[in-house]
Amino acid sequence: MANAADTKAVMTENLRDMGLDDETTAKCLMLIEKKRFAELEKLLKAYRQTLLDSVHKLSDRIDCLDYFTYTLRKNGGI
């Protein structure tokens, strides 16, 4: 865990906890350092959308799985 007094280390840890790779983490830190917050926000919003798309895709798979097992049970297969 990063020392709370070391702001850059805390931000780095937080960005990595989000699942960002090293290259994107470095880019975010550079944008913060250069106070290019509009670009940072755009990058983070795009990443958020990527994560949401993954969640939706997995949710659809779970729905298919649930329907499949429901159908099997209904037809006496399970």
Side-chain angles (χ1 to χ4, degrees):
M1 175 174 269
N3 179 348
D6 185 355
T7 305
K8 185 174 181 179
V10 170
M11 286 190 290
T12 300
E13 184 174 349
N14 191 262
L15 291 165
R16 288 184 178 148
D17 287 348
M18 287 183 233
L20 294 174
D21 60 27
D22 290 342
E23 181 180 335
T24 307
T25 296
K27 184 173 183 177
C28 287
L29 293 171
M30 180 273 299
L31 292 171
I32 292 166
E33 185 177 308
K34 294 186 178 199
K35 300 186 188 316
R36 292 165 44 185
F37 299 115
E39 289 177 66
L40 175 64
E41 183 177 18
K42 184 177 178 181
L43 187 151
L44 292 175
K45 279 184 177 183
Y47 182 63
R48 184 179 192 280
Q49 188 60 52
T50 299
L51 291 176
L52 274 175
D53 291 345
S54 296
V55 167
H56 293 146
K57 185 176 184 177
L58 292 173
S59 179
D60 288 345
R61 290 179 182 178
I62 291 169
D63 290 343
C64 289
L65 172 66
D66 290 345
Y67 180 74
F68 183 76
T69 55
Y70 164 79
T71 303
L72 286 174
R73 274 193 211 105
K74 183 179 173 185
N75 295 324
I78 293 182

